[in-house]
Structures are given as structure tokens and as C-alpha cells.
Amino acid sequence: MRPPHTAKRGSFLRVSDPRTHSIDQLGEHGLIDRVRIKSGLPPAGIVLGIGDDAAVIASERGAHDVVTTDSLIEGVHFNRAWTGARAIGHKALAVNLSDLAAMGATPRASLLSLALPKHFSVADFDALVDGYLDLARAEGATLVGGNLTMSPGPVMVSVTAIGAARPRRVLTRAGARPGDELYVTGTLGGAAAGLSILRNGRDRASLNQAELDAVDRYERPLARGRCGRIVAKTGGANAAIDLSDGLGDAARQLMQASGVGVILEGVMVPVHPAAQGVGGVNPLDLALCGGEDYELAFAVSARRRSRFLAAIRRCGDINVTRVGRFVEGTGAWLETDAGRHVLPTGFEHFTA
Ligand SMILES: [Mg+2]
């Protein structure tokens, strides 16, 4: 973000009703000042945060910097008719933290770039930034800068996250070997079920516990940061990936990066309970293809299995399930009662 030298701190307070004020009334500097004040003072490792031409971050001794970026575009990744501004802010950071988690990296800083229509309300701006900052604080991904621009149409939220990892402890997609087992954290298909519920405009009061949890999964994905870091640090896995586009896609990505084949066992896949209630879709398909669960998948060798499971027990309230195995050759298959079939490609995104 550009330095708010010309902005007066008072601009933060000048808005009497954020719901009726639009962001163009505050202007770029007023908005940046608003974000800076919300952010508070950065921690010691951040030499210079929001407010200069660039941020300055002290390198962590003996660590590699791990950097990732991702964008959420209105109409592609979310629809404002059923996704609130706070959820958009949370999610934009969470999807990046999920990538850091998959690498075994600890978040340190983040950059937020927003392209917003000029009639976006100040209340929605505040909610988006608050959703972002709450997660940033909880996960140590200090907001150190970014950019603000007007969009002629859709809301666009781009985030860059920066983390640190020990050089020999970085997890990649490329380490899976024949004989390794494939594990996933949590349950799958919940986010897709949640999106389906929101899209159908169902009244929250009518939802059961599983459905409420599914909506929460969609709106507020929880990157498995602690889990990725502990598994990486203890050397419990050969490869890892986060589940942004479903287990089917993740298995393929591991297969291609590692140069091995992969077989998923359909009966083993931990399907979120709300996925059963989504009409017209096989729950297993939702779990494999729905995406946006942001769980982690690990390739684990037999030799490291007990080390891996011990690491998972240290991650808190997280379960892992063995859902498949890696084999010689290349190719991705799904085993079900109906036999072994090629894992389908061209996964449809259950988004927007
Ligand atoms: Mg990823």
C-alpha cells in the first residue's frame, strides 16, 4: 500500500454510518489509513510494515522464505449474493495459508491487494479487512502491505503470503514413492455441500449441525497450518499438497510431480456428513471433486508411518484417514465396488 502520508488519522472516524457510505467517499489514502489503524503495530520480525513504498522483513536465520499467491475473483470464486464480505476476507488469506501449510512453512507476513467497485460500502470494506486481519493475527501472517484500486466491475482480492521453513524440512509434491500410502486430514466434500446449501438460499434456522458445519467450511476454511508444520518438522511424510480442488485433483498433482501412479480407495474416503444431503450428486463425487476443503494430503512411507501418526496426534483435534496408495508407473485410479476406473479428469469447480 502507498504511504498514507497525506491521510489524516481522523478519516478513520469520519464515517458516521459505514453501511451508507461507499469507499469512494473515503478515497485510497483514507482506506489505507483505515487498514493501517486496524492492523496495529507489527511484530519484531517486521522491520517496516504498512505505510512505505515497500515492506521490510528481517530474514529468519537458517530458514528459507516460502512464498505463495492466490486470488479470489467475484463471479469466479465467490458470489456476493451468498458469501459475505467477512468470509471473503478470511478465505482470501486462508487459501494462501493452506499452501504454506502444505509446504510445512510457518506464516510470517502477507500482502493484500483489493480491486473494489467504487460503490462498495465502507461497512463491507471493514468486514472484509476484519475477516482478513482476524485470521492473519491468529496465524502470524502479519499484513505488511498491498494495493488498493477501483474495479470497473467485480471484487478482486489477491493475497501473497510469505512463510519460513527449515531448508531440509520443506514438503513438496514431488517426494511420493511407490509403496507410500496416501493420507488426508479431516473430512471432504463439506465445503461443496456448504456452497450448495448457501446457493439454494436455505434458511440457517432449518439447517442441522452437519449442514451448519458445512456452511462454515465453505465460508471459513481453516488452513491446517499447525498440522503441516509438525509433519514437516518431524519428517513424517515424503510429499504433501493441500486440497484446494478436491482429492481427485490433489492425487493427480502428486502423481505427476512424483512420477508415480496413485490408487484411491473410494470406500476409505472420509465424506463430510452434509455431503449425503446434497441432491443429485453422489457424496463420493462431492468429496473427490467438490474442492475448497483445504485439508492436507500426505504421502507416507511404511517406514515413517508411526512417526507420521505420532506427529498427527500432536496437531490437536485432527484425524487422518488412509485413502489410497502410490504404485509404480503413472496413472490415477479410483477403486470402488464397481471395480477400478481411471480417476476422472476435468473436475468441475463447485464455485461461484
Ligand atoms: Mg495448493
Side-chain angles (χ1 to χ4, degrees):
M1 292 179 190
R2 295 291 161 147
H5 298 311
T6 55
K8 294 187 182 70
R9 282 196 163 227
S11 61
F12 182 74
L13 303 170
R14 262 206 304 271
V15 177
S16 52
D17 185 354
R19 286 166 303 176
T20 55
H21 277 73
S22 56
I23 54 169
D24 60 330
Q25 291 172 280
L26 280 181
E28 185 181 346
H29 292 303
L31 292 169
I32 292 170
D33 211 23
R34 212 168 170 85
V35 175
R36 189 165 60 85
I37 291 165
K38 280 177 183 290
S39 301
L41 286 176
I46 308 301
V47 181
L48 205 52
I50 298 170
D52 216 305
D53 290 304
V56 180
I57 305 169
S59 294
E60 204 166 276
R61 212 179 177 158
H64 281 335
D65 296 325
V66 182
V67 184
T68 186
T69 189
D70 212 343
S71 301
L72 297 185
I73 312 295
E74 181 180 2
V76 179
H77 302 99
F78 64 88
N79 186 318
R80 281 202 282 152
W82 52 74
T83 304
R86 179 174 271 275
I88 294 165
H90 172 101
K91 203 163 176 175
L93 179 58
V95 302
N96 283 277
L97 296 185
S98 181
D99 280 329
L100 291 186
M103 305 298 289
T106 304
R108 299 194 68 210
S110 63
L111 298 157
L112 170 64
S113 290
L114 294 169
L116 301 171
K118 65 179 182 180
H119 296 305
F120 202 72
S121 76
V122 173
D124 278 346
F125 179 84
D126 283 347
L128 194 157
V129 172
D130 288 342
Y132 185 99
L133 287 176
D134 283 352
L135 182 62
R137 281 191 200 99
E139 298 296 324
T142 306
L143 179 63
V144 296
N147 189 50
L148 260 173
T149 180
M150 290 299 162
S151 164
V155 172
M156 293 182 269
V157 187
S158 294
V159 174
T160 299
I162 303 159
R166 298 282 146 204
R168 276 148 47 97
R169 292 300 189 208
V170 175
L171 278 170
T172 72
R173 301 173 177 187
R177 292 188 285 252
D180 285 0
E181 294 176 322
L182 177 61
Y183 284 85
V184 292
T185 59
T187 58
L188 309 180
L195 172 57
S196 165
I197 289 164
L198 291 170
R199 219 180 212 167
N200 291 331
R202 295 200 30 211
D203 182 4
R204 280 186 192 239
S206 74
L207 303 180
N208 64 34
Q209 200 52 47
E211 289 168 333
L212 286 169
D213 181 73
V215 169
D216 205 44
R217 294 294 193 90
Y218 175 73
E219 291 189 327
R220 295 174 42 81
L222 294 170
R224 299 295 193 187
R226 182 173 153 78
C227 187
R229 289 194 291 277
I230 292 178
V231 171
K233 270 185 194 147
T234 54
N238 287 339
I241 186 169
D242 71 311
L243 302 191
S244 50
D245 297 312
L247 176 60
D249 178 71
R252 278 191 175 276
Q253 301 294 336
L254 288 169
M255 171 201 89
Q256 280 165 1
S258 299
V260 292
V262 63
I263 300 170
L264 291 184
E265 296 166 39
V267 70
M268 301 297 289
V269 174
V271 180
H272 189 281
Q276 310 285 345
V278 178
V281 187
N282 177 344
L284 179 60
D285 286 343
L286 214 57
L288 291 178
C289 313
E292 299 202 274
D293 286 314
Y294 297 102
E295 297 289 349
L296 296 178
F298 297 101
V300 180
S301 64
R303 197 168 60 83
R304 295 185 184 206
R305 187 191 301 127
S306 56
R307 195 188 299 185
F308 170 73
L309 294 175
I312 293 297
R313 282 193 291 276
R314 290 173 51 204
C315 296
D317 192 20
I318 292 180
N319 289 321
V320 288
T321 310
R322 188 183 63 76
V323 293
R325 60 194 185 277
F326 294 91
V327 295
E328 297 278 357
T330 55
W333 296 276
L334 174 64
E335 278 181 354
T336 64
D337 292 347
R340 184 185 292 186
H341 299 280
V342 172
L343 198 59
T345 53
F347 296 103
E348 197 179 326
H349 286 237
F350 286 71
T351 50

